[in-house]
Amino acid sequence: MSYLNFKSEYDRFPKTTIKNHKAFRGYDEIYCELNKKIDDSSVVVFDYYPGVDEKEVYELIKRFNFSLEINMHDIFKDGKTMTEQMKYNLTDDRVFGKMYYGNLVDFIDEEKLEEAQNKIKEQKESVIVYGVGAGLVSHGDVYVYFDMARWQIQLRYRKGMANYNVDNYDEDILKKYKRGYFIEWRIADKHKEKCFECFDYVVDTNVANDPKMISRYTFTESLKQLAQKPFRTVPYFDPGVWGGQWMKEVCNLDVNQPNYAWSFDGVPEENSILFDYDGVIVELPAMDLVLYQPKELLGEQVYSRFGAEFPIRFDFLDTMEGQNLSLQVHPLTEYIKKNFGMSYTQDESYYILDAKEDAVVYLGLKEGIQPTESKRQVI
C-alpha cells in the first residue's frame, strides 16, 4: 500500500552546521592532537559516560605509555555491593523503578578514591586516570570526556552489553534499561554537568571505532548556538506489537523490517544531536544541550518548574496495516512522584496524520465496564 504520491523528504539525520570550528576524526587524529598536549609529567583524565566501549578506548591509552595508570573500576565498589545499594530504586518490577537523586560518588570506595588522589600527588611522571567518573579523582592537565547517546546504549544492551560494573549480560533488556534510566544515567548526567567547564575535549563514541573529538570551546559554542534557533534531534525507530507500515515509506526506513511502531523524533532524554564541522559529523546526546543550556532552551518559567529536564516528548505511533494501539494509562502527578520519584507525568495529545477510512479512536471506557474484568483482559 502506498501512502504518498510524492517522494518522501523526511530527514533522518538532521544536522546543524557550525562554521569556523574543527573536529578530529579517528583514533590516529585524536592521538596526534592529544600528544601535543601531553608531556612526561602530565596528569591525563579520560572520563566516560557509562556505555562507552572501554576496551576500544584502552587501545588509545596504550599508545601513550603512561608511567601510572589508574582504572576507575578499581575505585568503584564491587558490582554486588552497588546492586544492593540500588535495591530500593531498582524495585522488583520488570520495568518501573524509583528515580535516584544521589550522586556518582555514592558508589565509590572513599578510601580507594583518596588513595588514588594521593598517588597522583606523589607521582612525578605521566599519569592516566580512566573510566566512568575519572574526574572525581582529578581534573588533571588534560581532561577528555568520552560521550554517548542513550539510544546507542540501549542498542548495546540488546547486543549483550551489561550495565556499568556488573555482569548482567544476559539479564532482561528492560531491566538493564530500567537500571540505566532510573539510576546510571541520572548520576552520570549530574557528574558530567558539574564538569562541563573543566573538559579540554569531548569525544563522540557512538559509532564503534569511529570516534570524533572536539575541543571544549567548540563543544560549548555549538550548544550555545543550537539553543538560540530551531533544531531537530536525530530520530530513531523501533518495532512493536502494534507496529505498522506507514513510517517505512514516509520516513525512508528499511522496507525489509517487519514493522515500525515507534518513532522518537523529539525526546532529548534519549535522542542525539548532530553537528557538522566542515564535513565531519559529530553526534552528541541531546541531554548535553538540556544540561548545559537549560534556561536558554526551556525558558525561565519551564526551567523553574522542571529544572534541567525536557518535559515534552514527540513521537510517531504507527498502526497502519498493523494492530490496535495499546491501552494508554498514565498516573497522576501526585502518584508518579510518590511511587516513582518522578516530578511530572505523561499527559498525551494526539494529532492524527493519516488514517484508513474505517479507522476508529476509542476515548475512555464503555458504560458498565467492571474494573476486575478490565484488569484481567489487560493482564
Side-chain angles (χ1 to χ4, degrees):
M1 180 176 180
S2 180
Y3 301 101
L4 299 176
N5 57 9
F6 57 89
K7 182 175 175 55
S8 171
E9 296 183 1
Y10 181 84
D11 186 358
R12 289 181 56 196
F13 304 101
K15 300 179 288 291
T16 299
T17 299
I18 305 294
K19 297 180 179 179
N20 303 317
H21 286 270
K22 171 176 186 178
F24 304 89
R25 182 172 187 177
Y27 282 112
D28 288 342
E29 285 192 18
I30 290 173
Y31 170 77
C32 289
E33 172 64 15
L34 294 180
N35 200 42
K36 297 174 187 176
K37 311 292 182 180
I38 297 172
D39 58 35
D40 293 338
S41 61
S42 294
V43 176
V44 179
V45 177
F46 280 11
D47 204 334
Y48 307 161
Y49 201 81
V52 168
D53 188 334
E54 299 193 37
K55 290 182 179 179
E56 180 183 307
V57 180
Y58 190 69
E59 293 302 311
L60 172 64
I61 292 173
K62 290 193 298 186
R63 297 172 71 170
F64 291 99
N65 296 314
F66 291 103
S67 299
L68 174 65
E69 295 184 4
I70 297 176
N71 186 339
M72 288 303 296
H73 280 289
D74 298 329
I75 297 174
F76 270 88
K77 299 173 183 178
D78 65 85
K80 289 184 178 179
T81 301
M82 288 176 62
T83 299
E84 181 64 26
Q85 194 171 328
M86 295 175 182
K87 189 174 180 180
Y88 171 80
N89 298 86
L90 288 175
T91 75
D92 294 326
D93 192 272
R94 183 182 179 218
V95 175
F96 297 111
K98 295 179 184 293
M99 200 65 72
Y100 185 75
Y101 286 105
N103 297 288
L104 194 62
V105 74
D106 299 343
F107 301 97
I108 294 284
D109 185 313
E110 293 185 9
E111 290 185 4
K112 292 180 179 179
L113 176 62
E114 185 177 357
E115 181 183 339
Q117 292 169 336
N118 289 333
K119 281 183 180 179
I120 291 175
K121 292 176 183 177
E122 297 165 0
Q123 181 71 20
K124 303 302 181 183
E125 297 179 295
S126 61
V127 179
I128 176 76
V129 185
Y130 63 96
V132 173
L136 293 172
V137 178
S138 172
H139 289 168
D141 301 303
V142 180
Y143 190 166
V144 186
Y145 193 85
F146 293 77
D147 216 346
M148 175 169 281
R150 292 181 184 177
W151 174 236
Q152 289 299 327
I153 296 172
Q154 291 181 63
L155 293 178
R156 294 186 182 196
Y157 287 157
R158 295 179 186 184
K159 292 179 180 178
M161 184 182 78
N163 288 96
Y164 180 69
N165 211 33
V166 290
D167 58 358
N168 63 339
Y169 302 98
D170 298 324
E171 189 174 32
D172 184 338
I173 300 299
L174 292 177
K175 289 186 177 181
K176 291 183 183 180
Y177 173 66
K178 178 181 69 172
R179 188 178 179 124
Y181 181 83
F182 284 97
I183 304 172
E184 286 183 2
W185 301 342
R186 305 297 160 177
I187 57 179
D189 282 347
K190 273 189 180 180
H191 171 69
K192 177 165 58 173
E193 182 181 14
K194 291 177 182 177
C195 299
F196 276 140
E197 298 297 343
C198 303
F199 300 155
D200 292 296
Y201 297 95
V202 175
V203 182
D204 157 20
T205 66
N206 288 285
V207 180
N209 294 303
D210 188 15
K212 296 94 176 178
M213 184 175 78
I214 55 178
S215 69
R216 177 186 65 197
Y217 178 68
T218 294
F219 173 75
T220 56
E221 284 300 305
S222 299
L223 295 179
K224 288 176 182 177
Q225 287 188 34
L226 199 63
Q228 300 299 319
K229 58 186 178 182
F231 69 93
R232 276 183 60 208
T233 58
V234 181
Y236 66 85
F237 305 85
D238 227 12
V241 292
W242 68 74
Q245 306 300 312
W246 184 86
M247 283 194 289
K248 287 185 185 180
E249 180 182 352
V250 175
C251 301
N252 296 317
L253 304 180
D254 184 357
V255 296
N256 295 314
Q257 292 299 313
N259 71 61
Y260 288 97
W262 305 89
S263 163
F264 295 86
D265 197 350
V267 186
E269 280 193 339
E270 297 179 16
N271 287 127
S272 56
I273 44 181
L274 296 178
F275 293 107
D276 184 342
Y277 304 103
D278 196 22
V280 178
I281 309 303
V282 174
E283 182 176 10
L284 297 173
M287 275 303 296
D288 285 358
L289 176 63
V290 179
L291 294 171
Y292 186 66
Q293 295 279 281
K295 293 182 182 178
E296 293 79 2
L297 178 68
L298 302 171
E300 290 282 355
Q301 187 173 358
V302 175
Y303 177 70
S304 66
R305 166 67 176 85
F306 298 101
E309 296 277 353
F310 198 89
I312 303 175
R313 302 166 67 91
F314 299 95
D315 309 340
F316 284 147
L317 302 180
D318 182 3
T319 64
M320 299 286 277
E321 298 182 67
Q323 299 182 38
N324 292 333
L325 187 63
S326 59
L327 177 65
Q328 302 289 302
V329 180
H330 300 292
L332 298 174
T333 302
E334 180 182 1
Y335 185 93
I336 201 170
K337 180 68 175 178
K338 180 179 179 180
N339 290 277
F340 307 115
M342 302 173 72
S343 59
Y344 57 93
T345 188
Q346 187 168 321
D347 299 316
E348 295 192 350
S349 298
Y350 285 84
Y351 188 94
I352 299 174
L353 297 175
D354 202 351
K356 293 183 177 179
E357 291 185 3
D358 59 349
V360 177
V361 176
Y362 294 102
L363 302 176
L365 299 173
K366 297 177 182 178
E367 294 294 331
I369 293 296
Q370 297 300 315
T372 53
E373 176 65 14
S374 179
K375 183 177 180 181
R376 187 188 67 77
Q377 293 262 358
V378 171
I379 293 174

